[in-house]
Amino acid sequence: MLTYTPLTLDPDRILDVDPCIFWAGECTKPLFDSLQGQGQLQPVLVQKSSTGYTLVAGYSRFQGLKKLGKKIYALQTEDPGPWEKGLIYLSSNLGRIPDTLMLVRAMRYFSPLGKDLQQIYLLLGISRGSRQERQLQAWTRLPHEWDGALQHTPQLLTCAPDLANISHSDLDTLLPFFQDLSWSLNNARKFLDLLRRTQQPENLPIEEVVTRLALDKILAGELSPKDKIRLILDSLGRAAYPEYFRLMDEARQNINSLVAGTAWNCTHSDNFESPALELRVRVHNRDELQEVSRQLKSIASSTHLSPWPVYPHE
C-alpha cells in the first residue's frame, strides 16, 4: 500500500505533464469559483522528481489554484511506477463518466504496460471479451492522430477492427475525411466498404482511389458537410457498382420523362429496394382535379413505363 506525505508547495514547483494524466481538462467555472470562495478542500497528488514534483492527480484543481496564485496543498506519494500512477489517477476520477475518447485515452495509457487489464476494465466499466473491448483494443493500434476523429464521430469506434487492418499510409490518406466531417455510423461503414470494393479489382492504394475520383477535391470544396458526404458516397458507389448505378440513372430518367409536362411528381421513395412507384400531386379545385386525372391516364399508358418494374438490385 502506498503512503502519502502532506506538503504545501508553490505551483511553479509542480510539473503537470505526466502521461498518467490522460483525462486532463481545464478548471471549470464552478470549480474555479469554489477554489476562489472556499479554498482548496482536497489535496492534489504529486511525486518527487529531479526538478521538484510531478503531478499525479488533481489536474483541474491544480490549474485553478495556479491561476489564483495560491499555494498548493499536496500529498506526496512514494515512487510509484507508470502502472501505479495510472491507477491512482483513474481511481481519483471515479466520479467521471468516461465518453468514447476518454476510454480510448485510458486504454492507450494502460495497454502498452503489459499487465492484466481486468482491474482497469472494472474501473472503466468494460466487460472482458465484449465487443467494446475488441473495438478499444483495435483502436489502440491506430496512430494517435486518429483520436481526434472520435470528437466528430464517437461511433467511429465501431469501425476500429476494420480500420486497424488498413496500412498506415492508407490511414494517413483517410484521416482528413474523418477529421473534417461528422459521419453517421451507417455512412462511415458505407464509406469504408465502398472504398474497399473500389480498391479490390486492381488492389489500389486508397490514395490512388481518392485521386482518381477527386474525393480530396470534394472534401476541400465549398459544399456543406452533408453534401460532401453525399457526393463522396455517390462517387465511390459509381466506381464500385457501375452497372447498378447505370440502371439507377436510367430508371430515374424514365421516371422524370414519365411525368414531364404534368403536375405529378413520381419517385422511388425506397431507393429501388422494391419496384413500387410513388405518385403525388396537389390540386386546389375541381378543374385541376379533372386535369390531373386526365394526366394520370396518360401516364398509365406511357411507353416510359415499359421498363417498369425495375429491380436494379438483381
Side-chain angles (χ1 to χ4, degrees):
M1 179 181 292
L2 295 172
T3 60
Y4 301 92
T5 303
L7 300 169
T8 301
L9 301 169
D10 290 325
D12 292 341
R13 296 189 65 194
I14 303 175
L15 295 175
D16 59 355
V17 293
D18 195 283
C20 74
I21 305 175
F22 43 76
W23 291 345
E26 294 304 313
C27 183
T28 62
K29 187 177 186 307
L31 177 57
F32 184 82
D33 291 344
S34 173
L35 292 170
Q36 191 172 38
Q38 282 75 49
Q40 183 182 357
L41 302 179
Q42 292 180 310
V44 303
L45 301 180
V46 298
Q47 175 187 17
K48 192 77 172 72
S49 67
S50 58
T51 57
Y53 296 88
T54 300
L55 191 68
V56 175
Y59 183 87
S60 296
R61 243 181 343 267
F62 170 75
Q63 294 298 326
L65 291 165
K66 185 177 181 180
K67 188 175 181 179
L68 289 168
K70 294 187 175 184
K71 288 186 177 293
I72 311 291
Y73 173 50
L75 293 179
Q76 177 189 338
T77 72
E78 296 175 347
D79 192 20
W83 179 265
E84 289 74 20
K85 283 194 291 185
L87 275 177
I88 290 170
Y89 180 77
L90 188 54
S91 299
S92 71
N93 283 273
L94 287 180
R96 300 173 69 177
I97 300 175
D99 59 22
T100 299
L101 185 54
M102 291 169 70
L103 290 174
V104 165
R105 286 174 174 166
M107 291 295 292
R108 283 202 185 276
Y109 179 83
F110 286 106
S111 291
L113 298 180
K115 295 200 176 187
D116 186 356
L117 296 176
Q118 182 58 33
Q119 186 177 3
I120 307 305
Y121 289 166
L122 289 173
L123 293 173
L124 293 174
I126 299 169
S127 299
R128 186 181 286 279
S130 65
R131 181 181 301 173
Q132 183 187 35
E133 181 202 13
R134 293 193 295 273
Q135 291 168 355
L136 287 166
Q137 290 285 7
W139 191 274
T140 62
R141 301 201 298 272
L142 302 180
H144 283 73
E145 292 79 9
W146 272 82
D147 293 357
L150 291 174
Q151 293 178 319
H152 290 291
T153 312
Q155 58 271 28
L156 188 60
L157 179 68
T158 306
C159 302
D162 292 327
L163 290 168
N165 290 323
I166 296 175
S167 71
H168 277 217
S169 60
D170 278 347
L171 286 173
D172 289 343
T173 303
L174 272 181
L175 182 56
F177 291 90
F178 289 103
Q179 283 179 324
D180 299 343
L181 298 173
S182 180
W183 299 76
S184 69
L185 177 57
N186 182 57
N187 278 341
R189 284 175 167 167
K190 188 175 182 180
F191 176 53
L192 294 174
D193 179 63
L194 289 174
L195 266 175
R196 184 172 62 253
R197 292 178 185 277
T198 306
Q199 287 179 276
Q200 282 174 348
E202 302 176 61
N203 197 26
L204 297 172
I206 288 178
E207 183 178 12
E208 179 69 20
V209 174
V210 167
T211 302
R212 284 190 185 185
L213 301 182
L215 302 184
D216 51 343
K217 291 183 172 57
I218 296 173
L219 183 64
E222 300 298 324
L223 295 172
S224 69
K226 182 178 180 180
D227 285 339
K228 287 181 181 179
I229 289 174
R230 178 188 56 76
L231 190 53
I232 287 169
L233 293 179
D234 184 75
S235 299
L236 281 169
R238 290 179 181 278
Y241 302 106
E243 181 62 14
Y244 167 75
F245 274 86
R246 185 192 67 77
L247 288 170
M248 292 272 282
D249 288 341
E250 185 178 289
R252 288 196 180 100
Q253 288 171 7
N254 279 328
I255 287 172
N256 291 336
S257 299
L258 180 67
V259 294
T262 74
W264 288 88
N265 176 266
C266 182
T267 59
H268 255 294
S269 60
D270 56 4
N271 202 29
F272 297 93
E273 291 295 332
S274 78
L277 291 177
E278 195 171 282
L279 288 149
R280 291 192 296 275
V281 71
R282 176 177 292 184
V283 296
H284 301 87
N285 52 56
R286 185 186 296 270
D287 289 341
E288 288 185 1
L289 179 59
Q290 290 175 344
E291 174 60 19
V292 298
S293 298
R294 184 191 64 77
Q295 292 174 358
L296 185 59
K297 289 180 180 178
S298 175
I299 290 170
S301 60
S302 171
T303 57
H304 291 294
L305 280 179
S306 298
W308 181 59
V310 177
Y311 294 97
H313 291 274
E314 291 183 355

